[in-house]
Amino acid sequence: MNRSQLPLLGLRAFEATARHQSVSNAAAELCVTPGAVSQQIKLLEERVGVPLLRRKGRSIELTDAGQVLRPALTQAFQTIPVASGRGDALIAFST
């Protein structure tokens, strides 16, 4: 799968939701509505072809695929601000 095929907003919404274990808290962090977060995650799940979250009423739990994806995304999103402080890393990141 080409990385450009994965929706960045969906990746951010999933990572925040998985980290907080809450759609509402993820929405507050991302300054969007909980409905927007849910929609972005749904689009991401459609794109990857597997569910990433199990919704149980107001709570969520990660599926096996979600448990694999979450740490990689968290690490990647934590690396971006560090890398953007370095010109050489920023050039490598953009290519």
Side-chain angles (χ1 to χ4, degrees):
M1 176 177 292
N2 183 332
R3 72 178 172 166
S4 66
Q5 294 176 331
L6 296 177
L8 180 57
L9 294 176
L11 294 170
R12 289 182 62 213
F14 167 74
E15 191 279 331
T17 300
R19 185 168 25 86
H20 289 293
Q21 292 291 299
S22 166
V23 172
S24 295
N25 290 347
E29 176 182 320
L30 299 171
C31 300
V32 298
T33 66
V37 169
S38 293
Q39 184 65 20
Q40 289 300 322
I41 292 171
K42 181 180 176 185
L43 292 172
L44 175 62
E45 289 175 326
E46 289 173 1
R47 188 64 62 96
V48 298
V50 295
L52 301 171
L53 301 174
R54 280 189 203 93
R55 291 138 180 101
K56 295 185 173 185
R58 299 198 77 176
S59 66
I60 58 142
E61 66 180 38
L62 298 177
T63 63
D64 290 342
Q67 290 178 14
V68 169
L69 184 59
R70 189 228 176 200
L73 286 177
T74 299
Q75 182 178 7
F77 287 131
Q78 288 173 344
T79 301
I80 291 170
V82 173
S84 65
R86 296 181 38 216
D88 59 330
L90 192 62
I91 291 168
F93 181 74
S94 66
T95 58

